[in-house]
């Protein structure tokens, strides 16, 4: 890879000669400007205002326009001799945990390659120190006409540097969030959690630029004199009138896209979070259920007692009636026998 900057890493009193190479590349498709009537190329010509003639790239330099409109010429030699230590040096100023860096500050990425055999030992020392500390190095460096902030970290067996925006270059998110009061229900959060779980993780290697592929297909078709493939009908969107229904449909669609059975999502199990209401322990009945059960037992017991009392009363009545009948029979028999005895005596 071609280097874009040569210098050194300043690590305390240790100096590591390095070469800076781009760590990323763009695969975006670029277009030329053409004259729509005949397809001719549109080119920009660079003219000198004073001489009114076109100039070559070798004749073009840098200049700073002052407030009064005058131009102050600045040469590459002027910039190379700036009286700052970062002109040709990546100066490490601190080591901090990686989570201290706001991703909003992230800019272009570079690889720092050891320049020559003498750089191998200090380069490896810095790399292994970064690995063991689980920290990143914060550095200052000058590149393309200005001083920049950078973050050094280990990628594989190499040291990478991310350009960082200065803190005052990151805008505050004022006026971005909704300025109205919105209430999000627990059920909506539970469905959102379920949707996140269904979508799951992804291997970034599986992602690709579908827009670029579609543009390449259009270019290939037109180059072959064929009509480009017609675009599919765009999905009909609209206002979300029912957020719960939209979340449920999203969970169902995500499961179907993964080949899973579209389970019913309207009765999702409640998540064990601070939002969830603690469930009662299994096997324990609520107070109202206990009262109902006790009332049923009391009613059943009363009914049994009533039935038993009725049976006893009936039995007692039968016994009394039988005793009376038996007593009446004995009395009648005695009277009959006495009458017969009196009649015999009179006859005698």
């Amino acid at each position: 890879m071609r280097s874009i900057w040569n210098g050194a890493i300043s690590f305390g009193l240790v100096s590591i000669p390095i070469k800076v190479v781009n760590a990323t590349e763009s695969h975006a498709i670029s277009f030329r400007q053409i004259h729509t009537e005949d397809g001719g190329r549109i080119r920009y010509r660079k003219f000198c205002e004073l001489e009114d003639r076109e100039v070559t790239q070798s004749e073009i330099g840098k200049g700073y326009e002052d407030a009064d409109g005058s131009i102050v010429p600045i040469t590459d030699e002027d910039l190379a001799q700036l009286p700052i230590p970062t002109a040709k040096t990546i100066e490490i100023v601190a080591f901090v945990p990686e989570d201290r860096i706001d991703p909003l500050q992230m800019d272009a990425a570079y690889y720092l390659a050891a320049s020559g055999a003498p750089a191998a030992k200090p380069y490896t020392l810095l790399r292994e120190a970064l690995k063991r500390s689980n920290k990143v190095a914060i550095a200052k460096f000058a590149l393309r006409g200005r001083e920049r902030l950078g973050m050094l970290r280990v990628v594989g067996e190499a040291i990478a540097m991310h350009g960082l925006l200065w803190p005052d270059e990151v805008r505050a998110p004022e006026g971005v969030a909704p300025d109205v009061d919105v209430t999000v229900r627990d059920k909506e959060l539970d469905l959102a959690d379920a949707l996140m779980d269904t979508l799951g993780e992804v291997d970034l290697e599986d992602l690709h630029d579908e827009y670029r592929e579609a543009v390449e297909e259009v270019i290939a078709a037109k180059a072959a004199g064929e009509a480009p493939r017609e675009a599919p009908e765009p999905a009909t969107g609209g206002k979300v009138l029912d957020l719960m229904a939209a979340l449920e449909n999203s969970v169902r669609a995500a499961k179907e896209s993964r080949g899973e059975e579209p389970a019913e999502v309207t009765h999702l199990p409640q998540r064990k979070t601070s939002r969830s209401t603690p469930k009662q322990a299994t096997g324990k009945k609520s107070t109202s259920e206990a009262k109902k059960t006790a009332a049923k037992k009391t009613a059943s017991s009363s009914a049994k007692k009533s039935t038993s009392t009725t049976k006893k009363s009936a039995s007692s009545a039968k016994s009394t009636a039988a005793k009376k009948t038996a007593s009446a029979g004995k009395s009648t028999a005695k009277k009959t026998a006495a009458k017969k005895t009196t009649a015999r005596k009179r006859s005698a």
Side-chain angles (χ1 to χ4, degrees), residues 119-264:
K121 179 71 174 181
Y123 184 98
T124 305
L125 171 65
L126 176 58
R127 183 191 67 199
E128 296 304 313
L130 288 172
K131 281 184 181 179
R132 192 166 70 171
S133 67
N134 290 322
K135 293 183 178 181
V136 296
I138 302 300
K140 295 170 69 178
F141 65 102
L143 181 65
R144 292 170 181 160
R146 68 186 187 96
E147 189 174 56
R148 305 180 181 217
L149 198 61
M151 178 188 76
L152 276 64
R153 68 185 184 96
V154 177
V155 177
E157 296 301 313
I159 298 175
M161 179 174 69
H162 294 269
L164 298 178
L165 299 176
W166 296 97
D168 60 358
E169 292 179 315
V170 179
R171 294 178 176 177
E174 296 177 358
V176 177
D179 58 355
V180 295
D181 292 333
V182 178
T183 301
V184 178
R185 295 178 294 169
D186 288 344
K187 288 184 178 179
E188 293 169 339
L189 286 171
D190 290 337
L191 275 172
D193 290 341
L195 178 57
M196 293 166 63
D197 291 342
T198 304
L199 292 176
E201 298 183 0
V202 66
D203 186 353
L204 295 181
E205 296 294 332
D206 295 336
L207 301 180
H208 54 94
D209 188 349
E210 296 182 16
Y211 180 84
R212 176 173 59 86
E213 293 173 355
V215 173
E216 290 175 343
E217 184 178 338
V218 170
I219 294 172
K222 299 200 75 172
E226 302 172 357
R229 183 163 52 95
E230 292 186 3
E233 288 293 328
T236 56
K239 294 182 179 179
V240 179
L241 301 179
D242 189 342
L243 183 57
M244 288 291 290
L247 287 169
E248 290 170 2
N249 292 336
S250 299
V251 173
R252 189 176 294 107
K255 288 189 175 184
E256 290 177 352
S257 67
R258 290 176 173 268
E260 301 177 11
E261 288 294 329
E264 184 67 31

Side-chain angles (χ1 to χ4, degrees), residues 38-172:
D38 53 22
R41 284 279 305 274
I42 302 297
R43 298 180 183 272
Y44 291 97
R45 300 182 185 276
K46 299 180 180 180
F47 276 77
C48 173
E49 292 182 352
L50 297 180
E51 299 183 9
D52 193 22
R53 68 175 181 88
E54 186 178 354
V55 296
T56 62
Q57 185 62 38
S58 61
E59 297 178 88
I60 299 175
K62 299 181 181 70
Y64 175 78
E65 185 175 359
D66 210 345
D68 59 0
S70 60
I71 301 296
V72 180
I74 300 294
T75 65
D76 291 338
E77 290 73 19
D78 294 332
L79 297 177
Q81 296 174 8
L82 289 175
I84 56 174
T86 57
K88 294 296 288 183
T89 303
I90 299 173
E91 181 185 9
I92 294 177
V93 296
F95 292 89
V96 300
E98 189 170 359
D99 58 10
R100 286 270 304 276
I101 306 301
D102 188 343
L104 284 174
Q105 290 184 255
M106 292 289 191
D107 203 355
Y110 309 94
Y111 286 132
L112 306 183
S115 183
K121 179 71 174 181
Y123 184 98
T124 305
L125 171 65
L126 176 58
R127 183 191 67 199
E128 296 304 313
L130 288 172
K131 281 184 181 179
R132 192 166 70 171
S133 67
N134 290 322
K135 293 183 178 181
V136 296
I138 302 300
K140 295 170 69 178
F141 65 102
L143 181 65
R144 292 170 181 160
R146 68 186 187 96
E147 189 174 56
R148 305 180 181 217
L149 198 61
M151 178 188 76
L152 276 64
R153 68 185 184 96
V154 177
V155 177
E157 296 301 313
I159 298 175
M161 179 174 69
H162 294 269
L164 298 178
L165 299 176
W166 296 97
D168 60 358
E169 292 179 315
V170 179
R171 294 178 176 177

